[in-house]
């Protein structure tokens, strides 16, 4: 496959990186880390409203998954708490079901996040009860839920029907998780209710699986961005840190580490671009493309983070260095929306 980002996509990524650099999410988070889970700042909410990026995947804006992918990578690189990809996925789904709240969600006035079951050992159960939709159990972890107004639950009932239900965050039980990741909040929604007929919709067959593939792809793109940032800071550090009156970057072992990190991130990016294209074209090979990319990138980004820590040595273990914040983020990304082992098993059975 021959593929390269267009000039517009490169410009889009550069613009988002400029905003993130100016607002420095990691520095902002350091100021509030002792106060509790990460929350969206006033600047974050304003950016979502003014940029219009939440509606990127809607027909009106006409954006692609590749467009959203380059933005997601930038947010991962910066350690941002904004769940941009998830918000955009929810906005697209609201358009599919033509929900009245869609315009409010696209504008960022109210934040709607997608909620799905876990891919392994699902604890979420749905069944049509008369004209209502019976929901019980817990969703997969959701990022940014503490700042959201609604969740858009997408799941498959016991009879095999894909359904969606918009639920107010105030109407459900939210349990905030303690995770390694200090840059984002993670929560699960615990459900035990019947949704009235007017508040849930049937979806085209395969929609729930498609949403799972979207979230898996963007989770990996987030990890890729964080890993790419670690490559940059590690190469810079290796050129500055001296040992025996020479930069450690001149030693063959360090060269090999840095080269392996660069190859891992570039290979991950290529695989993930293929997955994003498969999502855009909704190809028959989409599940295979997504799982191949997620499995490879999950291991590659985690290994890159660990190698970055080794090259940095003692300073990499300190609280003051940003390395541990990105490493924590990558390790959580590795486990959510399908672990590496899950995606490998999916490939075997494809």
């Amino acid at each position: 496959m021959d593929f390269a980002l267009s000039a517009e996509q490169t410009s889009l990524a550069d613009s988002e990186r400029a905003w993130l650099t100016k607002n420095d999410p990691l520095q902002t988070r350091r100021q509030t880390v002792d106060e509790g889970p990460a929350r969206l700042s006033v600047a974050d909410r304003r950016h979502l409203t003014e940029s219009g990026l939440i509606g990127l995947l809607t027909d009106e804006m006409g954006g692609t998954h590749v467009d959203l992918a380059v933005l997601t990578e930038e947010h991962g690189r910066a350690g941002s708490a904004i769940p941009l990809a998830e918000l955009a996925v929810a906005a697209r789904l609201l358009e599919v079901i033509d929900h009245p709240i869609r315009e409010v969600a696209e504008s960022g006035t109210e934040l709607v996040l997608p909620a799905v079951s876990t891919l392994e050992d699902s604890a979420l159960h749905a069944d049509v009860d008369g004209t209502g939709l019976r929901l019980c159990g817990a969703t997969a972890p959701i990022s940014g839920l503490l700042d959201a107004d609604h969740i858009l639950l997408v799941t498959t009932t016991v009879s095999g029907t894909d359904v969606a239900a918009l639920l107010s965050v105030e109407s459900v039980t939210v349990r905030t998780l303690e995770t390694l990741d200090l840059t984002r909040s993670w929560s699960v929604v615990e459900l035990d209710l019947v949704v009235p007929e007017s508040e849930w919709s049937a979806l085209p067959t395969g929609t729930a699986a498609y949403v799972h593939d979207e979230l898996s792809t963007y989770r990996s793109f987030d990890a890729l961005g964080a890993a790419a940032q670690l490559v940059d800071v590690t190469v810079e550090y290796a050129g500055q840190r001296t040992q025996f009156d020479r930069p450690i970057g001149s030693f063959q072992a360090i060269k090999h580490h840095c080269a392996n990190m660069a190859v891992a991130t570039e290979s991950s990016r290529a695989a993930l671009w293929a997955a994003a294209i498969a999502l855009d074209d909704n190809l028959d090979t989409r599940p295979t493309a997504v799982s191949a990319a997620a499995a490879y990138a999950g291991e590659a980004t985690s290994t890159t983070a660990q190698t970055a820590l080794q090259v940095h040595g003692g300073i990499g273990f300190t609280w003051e260095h940003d390395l541990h914040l990105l490493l924590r983020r990558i390790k959580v990304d590795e486990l959510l929306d399908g672990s590496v082992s899950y995606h490998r098993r999916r490939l075997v059975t494809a």
Side-chain angles (χ1 to χ4, degrees), residues 203-282:
L203 295 169
T205 301
T207 300
Y210 186 89
V211 172
H212 276 295
D213 282 345
E214 286 181 302
L215 296 177
S216 294
T217 300
Y218 290 123
R219 185 67 50 237
S220 296
F221 264 112
D222 182 89
L224 171 63
Q229 175 65 7
L230 288 179
V231 173
D232 290 345
V233 298
T234 301
V235 170
E236 180 181 8
Y237 179 76
Q240 296 173 346
R241 175 75 164 87
T242 59
Q243 188 71 33
F244 308 113
D245 297 323
R246 295 173 57 189
I248 64 171
S250 66
F251 302 144
Q252 188 176 42
I254 301 299
K255 289 180 180 179
H256 284 177
H257 278 322
C258 292
N260 289 338
M261 292 167 66
V263 169
T265 53
E266 286 301 321
S267 299
S268 297
R269 184 175 289 112
L272 287 168
W273 277 348
I277 291 171
L279 285 169
D280 280 326
D281 297 338
N282 201 13

Side-chain angles (χ1 to χ4, degrees), residues 29 33 36-38 80-81 139-146 175-188 219 222 319 324-337:
R29 177 58 182 145
V33 72
S80 166
T139 66
I142 305 168
S143 176
L145 187 58
L146 296 180
R175 178 164 55 88
T176 301
L177 306 176
E178 291 186 14
T179 71
L180 278 175
D181 187 5
L182 298 177
T183 60
R184 297 166 293 187
S185 67
W186 290 97
S187 308
V188 297
R219 185 67 50 237
D222 182 89
W319 176 260
H324 74 95
L325 295 175
L326 295 177
L327 185 151
R328 290 164 179 259
R329 187 179 180 110
I330 289 170
K331 295 302 289 184
V332 170
D333 281 338
E334 182 185 7
L335 295 175
L336 298 182
D337 294 303

Side-chain angles (χ1 to χ4, degrees), residues 58-60 90-103 106 152 164 166 198 200-204:
T58 61
D59 290 341
E60 181 178 354
R92 180 189 67 78
L93 287 168
L94 289 171
E95 181 182 55
V96 170
I97 62 177
D98 195 23
H99 198 283
I101 203 176
R102 52 172 290 199
E103 292 185 1
E106 290 172 21
L152 182 60
L166 187 74
S198 60
W200 67 275
S201 305
L203 295 169

Side-chain angles (χ1 to χ4, degrees), residues 12 16 44-55 61 84 106-107:
L12 183 65
E16 196 71 0
D44 294 337
R45 294 294 298 258
R46 185 186 306 116
H47 180 61
L48 288 172
T49 302
E50 295 177 352
S51 67
L53 293 174
I54 293 177
M61 186 168 288
L84 179 59
E106 290 172 21
S107 69

